[in-house]
Amino acid sequence: MIRLFTSRALQPSNISTIHKIVNNPLICSSLCGFSAQAAKLQIPQNPISMSVPCSDFDSHTYGALLQRCIQNDDPISAMRLHCDILKRGNCLDLFATNILLNMYVKAALLSEAKILFDEMPERNTISFVTLIQGYTKVLQFVEAVGLFVRLHREGHELNPFAFTSVLKVLVSMEWADLGWNLHACIYKLGHESNAFVGTALIDAYSVCGRVEFAREVFDGIRCKDMVTWTGMVACYAENDFFEEGLEVFSQMRLVGFKPNNFTFAGVLKACIGLQAFDIAKGVHGCVLKTCYECDIFVGVTLLELYTKSGDIVNAQRVFEEIPKKDVIPWSFMISRFAQSDLSEEAVNLFCQMRQAFVIPNQFTFASALQACATMGDLGLGRQIHGLVLKVGLDLNIFVSNALMDVYAKCRRIEDSMELFEKSLNRNDVSWNTMIVGYVRCGDAEKALGLFLEMLENRVLATEVTYSSVLSASASLAALELGTQIHSLAVKTNYAKNPVVGNALIDMYAKCGRIGDARLVFDLMNERDEVSWNAMISGYSMHGVGLEALKLFQMMQDRGFKPNALTFVGVLSACSNSGLLNQGQAYFTSMFQDYGIEPSIEHYSCMVWLLGRSGHLYKAVKLIEEIPVEPSVMLWRSLLGACVIHKNVELGKLAAQRILEMEPQDDATHVLLSNMYATARRWENVTAIRKSMKRKGMKKEPGLSWVESQGRVHYFRVGDTLHPDMKVINGILEWLNMRTRQAGFAPNCNAVLLDVEDKEEKERLLWIHSERIALAFALFRTPYGSQIRIIKNLRICVDCHAAMKLISKILQREIIIRDMNRFHYFQNGICSCGDYW
């Protein structure tokens, strides 16, 4: 029984149990046979059996003994004393009872403290404040506020301790705005000049961003102490009033106060906010003089200072000086390395942390996994995943999201989805991670499906969500859905965000609405280089080269500096519009005027520009002059130009160079086959196709798609599986008849198959995927509306000629985006001017 009571006291005990036990003299006598530790308190060995009168062992003595128990952190001895007190008839006065109450609160025996509080015959402010602080300690904030209200209603004194305690509770509950109501009461009772109360008010106003009120309180405090000055410095620093924070710090030094660790943390944060790194280094010197460099708060702020200023060497020196037993500095450095594209350093530091036997927390794991995701290191990511499972943090939202990101960026989107489905507390980051992952993996439909599911679950979309789903809409050319997403972004006020605005420009440009893209661009309140680049690339894609060059000039006039991507757009615009002289001039200017070293992308644009313009050997010469090893991209550009200009020998050379680098490249085999087919060298075509079959390669089929009522319909060359094929075939026959009546003569050279029969060749031309998509769109879209078709390959010359004539016959605007650019067919004319 004695052992049972002692263990329960440690766990903790219960006062009602104590009442029952003390009624048994035998048990209580045994319990009060005090240990050597109790003997130090000069307590009688067996006070109950000695039957000492209460007057001889009075409340004052018990109060002193209880106070000694608190000082020695000995709750068991205090509880034994409580047993003796109850046996003697509870002879404690209010002062001693408050000491006992404080003992239970400090020992975290809150239920016992509450029973004692309720049984007290009288209470004062100290009783209430003691229990309020106990509730605050165990995060029972509602009960703490209720006690303060009860304190006020029962008419007890509202002293500075009561106000500071309840203000701390309100800040912890994120109800700091209610501090305004307490402030009125504090002012009425004349406590506004008290340093303790004033500092608590400053903290409350700081949390809710009312800096001006915090300053009024600060100015009204008569005797400011170190804590008050530090509170004001922190208030300014936390609310981005950095200059004011430094000014208060200077005033504090002038009146003779020496800063402490919290002061230095606030001042350094102000310096970081102002990017006043030289001043911050001076503060660092002051930190070293006062020996606070090893303090965890100061150390972490110094780490932030040097990582923000890009001084990784000094950041590492500071890190080496900080005690390494705490996880916070490790997590901070790993996080900053991961966010600064220093992923290898982040991973190495994580390994050092494990070797130092410091246990990672959820933030450490999230940062280490972010580094793995950036590096695309699936193996290391899996190892960390195993460690996460061991420590039981796999369901933590930060860690779970980071794991999803690792698998998504390592092209293991199925594993990401498995984690997503198991996640119990998904947030917007969880949904965004999966949506972005599917967009990167090329599964736009799945990304859009997740977005709709996200909205159904009433999860608020962010700028990341909108930019990602707009990118998905752009890849599918799903204009209807993209327009709806635009409307939703306007309603949620995200359309003004530059990232979303840039995605809207890209979406409208890729969906064939270059005018709407320009309208979004013109209405943007804030543009960056990405905005200009997106609009220039949009014009390039649509073959409006002169407009792209005008915008490029406007960009420079507005003070924006072109970057490497800008010149990719400009050179591409020149290539798609056949602006040879302008393209060569911009290519030269790029390095001479802007100091941008040409990359493979720039050389590829120039090779395509020269080759498409018929200067094939100049293109070859340019490739030979490139200071780096020519890439596959360069030879592909040359091969594409050779196919257009039917230069078989040069095309064969380009194809050989490509296949030397990428033997399994099916697109090169197909282009080479098409070139031989155009030259009617069928034996070469057969040899290439046999080679492809032997290597297990397949020709990418012609694929076109069109959007109707929010759904994307796909069509392959010679498609027979679509449920509306009977109607589609009927419309194709009708279009064939109408175009022939208008004088259309099929170009059978576009048939790249060894077919002798002319009628069969003509039939094969009419089952190209873009014509099937056109026939579908004609009966599925309203009369007179614009028809938009996306094609995965280059549109053939016969389909191009047929589309021009059909647009005139039907008086319909037809837009086709092939792998190179947009074609606007209207009234028998194409926007490309037959140059593509």
Side-chain angles (χ1 to χ4, degrees):
M1 185 67 185
I2 294 169
R3 208 165 31 233
L4 175 64
F5 179 79
T6 307
S7 65
R8 285 175 61 80
L10 288 168
Q11 279 188 9
S13 180
N14 186 299
I15 288 182
S16 61
T17 308
I18 294 173
H19 276 282
K20 294 175 183 176
I21 290 172
V22 296
N23 289 328
N24 188 324
L26 210 70
I27 297 174
C28 197
S29 178
S30 300
L31 285 171
C32 293
F34 276 39
S35 61
Q37 192 175 13
K40 293 177 184 177
L41 302 175
Q42 298 179 354
I43 301 173
Q45 278 296 318
N46 198 338
I48 295 176
S49 60
M50 291 172 63
S51 302
V52 179
C54 190
S55 58
D56 294 339
F57 214 60
D58 60 10
S59 177
H60 178 75
T61 307
Y62 277 121
L65 292 172
L66 287 167
Q67 191 69 44
R68 187 77 64 83
C69 290
I70 293 173
Q71 291 171 358
N72 291 344
D73 193 20
D74 187 4
I76 295 176
S77 294
M79 292 173 75
R80 287 170 174 165
L81 275 173
H82 194 186
C83 289
D84 185 53
I85 291 163
L86 291 172
K87 186 64 180 178
R88 291 172 179 275
N90 199 1
C91 57
L92 295 184
D93 61 9
L94 180 58
F95 172 79
T97 308
N98 282 339
I99 293 174
L100 184 60
L101 181 67
N102 188 34
M103 183 278 297
Y104 280 117
V105 165
K106 285 196 171 181
L109 305 175
L110 206 61
S111 58
E112 284 75 7
K114 181 66 170 61
I115 293 170
L116 177 61
F117 179 84
D118 291 338
E119 291 179 353
M120 289 173 68
E122 61 173 322
R123 307 176 192 91
N124 62 4
T125 302
I126 295 172
S127 314
F128 279 92
V129 171
T130 301
L131 195 54
I132 287 170
Q133 290 174 347
Y135 279 128
T136 306
K137 188 177 178 182
V138 296
L139 309 181
Q140 295 183 20
F141 302 126
V142 175
E143 291 82 354
V145 172
L147 269 178
F148 177 78
V149 173
R150 183 176 165 187
L151 161 69
H152 185 44
R153 283 179 180 168
E154 292 182 9
H156 297 285
E157 179 191 6
L158 292 173
N159 62 17
F161 298 104
F163 284 120
T164 52
S165 298
V166 76
L167 282 166
K168 182 180 178 182
V169 172
L170 294 177
V171 169
S172 301
M173 295 177 75
E174 299 183 357
W175 289 0
D177 286 331
L178 294 178
W180 173 257
N181 299 327
L182 278 176
H183 192 177
C185 188
I186 290 166
Y187 185 82
K188 190 182 291 184
L189 295 173
H191 293 306
E192 75 281 357
S193 61
N194 181 281
F196 296 106
V197 179
T199 304
L201 276 170
I202 289 169
D203 186 38
Y205 282 131
S206 173
V207 169
C208 58
R210 307 303 292 268
V211 178
E212 67 281 9
F213 295 145
R215 184 59 198 239
E216 286 182 20
V217 172
F218 176 79
D219 291 338
I221 298 173
R222 290 175 189 167
C223 299
K224 302 177 181 69
D225 58 12
M226 186 66 242
V227 180
T228 307
W229 284 97
T230 299
M232 199 63 231
V233 171
C235 175
Y236 278 132
E238 293 292 336
N239 290 281
D240 297 346
F241 287 78
F242 304 123
E243 291 183 9
E244 291 84 350
L246 292 179
E247 185 180 343
V248 170
F249 175 68
S250 299
Q251 292 171 4
M252 183 194 79
R253 296 300 305 277
L254 288 173
V255 297
F257 282 103
K258 291 183 179 179
N260 61 20
N261 51 340
F262 300 108
T263 321
F264 280 127
V267 173
L268 286 167
K269 183 168 185 177
C271 293
I272 294 166
L274 291 170
Q275 294 189 341
F277 300 124
D278 291 336
I279 297 174
K281 287 178 181 178
V283 176
H284 189 184
C286 195
V287 167
L288 293 171
K289 286 181 182 179
T290 51
C291 300
Y292 278 115
E293 69 274 9
C294 292
D295 180 83
I296 190 69
F297 297 102
V298 178
V300 170
T301 313
L302 284 168
L303 288 177
E304 186 172 6
L305 162 69
Y306 288 113
T307 51
K308 282 277 180 72
S309 63
D311 191 347
I312 298 298
V313 175
N314 275 323
Q316 289 176 325
R317 285 178 182 171
V318 171
F319 178 73
E320 288 168 3
E321 293 173 357
I322 302 174
K324 303 295 189 302
K325 293 180 181 179
D326 199 302
V327 70
I328 294 174
W330 290 97
S331 289
F332 184 89
M333 281 301 289
I334 292 168
S335 171
R336 286 294 180 267
F337 278 141
Q339 293 167 4
S340 305
D341 291 330
L342 298 170
S343 300
E344 289 187 12
E345 288 83 349
V347 169
N348 290 336
L349 200 60
F350 178 75
C351 294
Q352 291 175 33
M353 178 184 178
R354 297 291 297 141
Q355 292 168 0
F357 300 105
V358 178
I359 299 173
N361 61 17
Q362 64 268 37
F363 305 110
T364 324
F365 280 121
S367 299
L369 287 166
Q370 181 186 350
C372 293
T374 303
M375 294 189 298
D377 193 334
L378 180 61
L380 184 58
R382 280 178 166 169
Q383 290 180 44
I384 296 176
H385 189 180
L387 185 58
V388 165
L389 290 169
K390 282 183 180 179
V391 298
L393 284 172
D394 53 306
L395 296 180
N396 178 273
I397 189 66
F398 300 106
V399 179
S400 178
N401 289 343
L403 282 168
M404 289 179 211
D405 191 41
V406 170
Y407 287 117
K409 286 181 178 173
C410 293
R411 316 294 289 185
R412 297 297 296 267
I413 195 70
E414 299 83 6
D415 293 334
S416 293
M417 178 52 78
E418 186 178 343
L419 288 168
F420 177 78
E421 290 172 347
K422 287 180 181 177
S423 180
L424 302 176
N425 301 305
R426 299 172 193 160
N427 59 7
D428 59 311
V429 178
S430 314
W431 291 92
N432 289 343
T433 301
M434 293 308 305
I435 290 169
V436 171
Y438 276 113
V439 171
R440 283 179 175 166
C441 290
D443 196 343
E445 290 186 1
K446 186 66 176 178
L448 292 169
L450 270 176
F451 173 64
L452 296 176
E453 191 178 336
M454 178 182 181
L455 296 180
E456 288 171 3
N457 281 271
R458 298 185 179 181
V459 180
L460 295 177
T462 66
E463 65 269 22
V464 176
T465 322
Y466 286 118
S467 61
S468 300
V469 293
L470 285 167
S471 177
S473 301
S475 66
L476 292 174
L479 178 63
E480 291 179 28
L481 186 56
T483 306
Q484 291 174 18
I485 294 169
H486 186 182
S487 301
L488 192 58
V490 170
K491 285 181 182 178
T492 54
N493 214 31
Y494 275 108
K496 296 179 180 178
N497 185 285
V499 175
V500 179
N502 296 339
L504 282 167
I505 293 170
D506 184 59
M507 184 274 293
Y508 280 120
K510 288 181 178 176
C511 289
R513 301 288 285 270
I514 193 66
D516 290 337
R518 182 57 189 262
L519 182 61
V520 171
F521 177 83
D522 290 338
L523 292 175
M524 288 179 74
N525 296 324
E526 183 182 347
R527 301 189 191 105
D528 54 17
E529 285 80 4
V530 179
S531 315
W532 293 92
N533 292 348
M535 198 65 236
I536 290 170
S537 296
Y539 277 133
S540 167
M541 196 188 308
H542 286 262
V544 195
L546 293 176
E547 286 297 324
L549 300 184
K550 284 181 186 177
L551 197 67
F552 175 64
Q553 186 60 49
M554 188 189 301
M555 175 184 182
Q556 296 170 86
D557 294 341
R558 299 285 175 86
F560 287 90
K561 187 177 179 181
N563 57 25
L565 287 175
T566 315
F567 278 100
V568 170
V570 169
L571 295 175
S572 178
C574 295
S575 299
N576 287 337
S577 301
L579 304 174
L580 180 60
N581 294 332
Q582 292 94 321
Q584 289 176 319
Y586 282 119
F587 184 72
T588 304
S589 170
M590 181 174 66
F591 179 73
Q592 291 182 352
D593 299 336
Y594 299 97
I596 298 173
E597 197 73 37
S599 66
I600 293 297
E601 287 78 10
H602 300 113
Y603 283 115
S604 296
C605 289
M606 288 305 299
V607 168
W608 176 249
L609 173 59
L610 290 166
R612 183 64 188 87
S613 302
H615 301 282
L616 295 172
Y617 290 97
K618 285 186 179 180
V620 173
K621 186 179 178 182
L622 178 62
I623 292 174
E624 291 171 350
E625 292 173 353
I626 295 174
V628 295
E629 186 69 25
S631 69
V632 170
M633 192 184 300
L634 287 166
W635 292 110
R636 278 180 185 154
S637 299
L638 180 62
L639 177 58
C642 291
V643 171
I644 292 171
H645 292 287
K646 302 175 184 178
N647 191 322
V648 177
E649 296 307 316
L650 197 54
K652 184 179 177 181
L653 172 66
Q656 286 174 350
R657 295 294 169 85
I658 296 170
L659 294 175
E660 285 172 6
M661 290 182 273
E662 292 188 11
Q664 298 296 319
D665 185 58
D666 56 339
T668 300
H669 285 85
V670 171
L671 281 173
L672 192 57
S673 172
N674 291 347
M675 186 171 62
Y676 283 133
T678 303
R680 296 298 182 259
R681 291 169 58 170
W682 301 114
E683 66 282 358
N684 296 105
V685 173
T686 304
I688 290 172
R689 291 187 177 176
K690 284 181 179 179
S691 175
M692 289 179 69
K693 187 175 181 180
R694 188 171 58 254
K695 293 176 181 179
M697 292 186 292
K698 291 184 178 180
K699 176 183 180 295
E700 182 181 9
L703 187 68
S704 297
W705 58 96
V706 63
E707 184 186 17
S708 174
Q709 297 178 348
R711 183 183 167 195
V712 179
H713 296 260
Y714 296 90
F715 302 93
R716 292 177 179 272
V717 57
D719 204 333
T720 58
L721 299 177
H722 196 276
D724 293 322
M725 278 312 300
K726 286 185 178 180
V727 181
I728 291 170
N729 287 331
I731 294 174
L732 286 174
E733 288 292 334
W734 178 76
L735 287 173
N736 189 0
M737 181 185 67
R738 288 293 306 271
T739 52
R740 285 181 180 278
Q741 289 174 352
F744 178 72
N747 185 349
C748 293
N749 290 328
V751 178
L752 302 179
L753 297 172
D754 188 8
V755 178
E756 295 295 333
D757 185 53
K758 184 181 178 184
E759 290 185 3
E760 177 61 14
K761 286 184 178 181
E762 292 176 358
R763 187 193 70 81
L764 291 172
L765 290 172
W766 278 96
I767 59 171
H768 279 192
S769 61
E770 56 265 55
R771 300 198 199 194
I772 297 173
L774 173 65
F776 171 81
L778 284 174
F779 80 90
R780 278 294 191 95
T781 56
Y783 178 77
S785 65
Q786 189 183 74
I787 295 173
R788 292 176 301 105
I789 300 169
I790 312 299
K791 183 174 172 63
N792 65 333
L793 303 176
R794 184 174 181 269
I795 187 172
C796 76
V797 290
D798 189 68
C799 286
H800 192 270
M803 293 293 175
K804 287 198 294 184
L805 187 56
I806 290 170
S807 70
K808 183 177 181 180
I809 293 170
L810 302 181
Q811 288 298 298
R812 295 284 292 270
E813 185 178 352
I814 303 168
I815 299 176
I816 295 181
R817 189 184 94 188
D818 69 4
M819 64 180 295
N820 291 330
R821 54 166 296 159
F822 273 92
H823 299 265
Y824 285 79
F825 300 97
Q826 191 172 21
N827 199 28
I829 300 171
C830 180
S831 60
C832 72
D834 296 338
Y835 183 92
W836 82 98

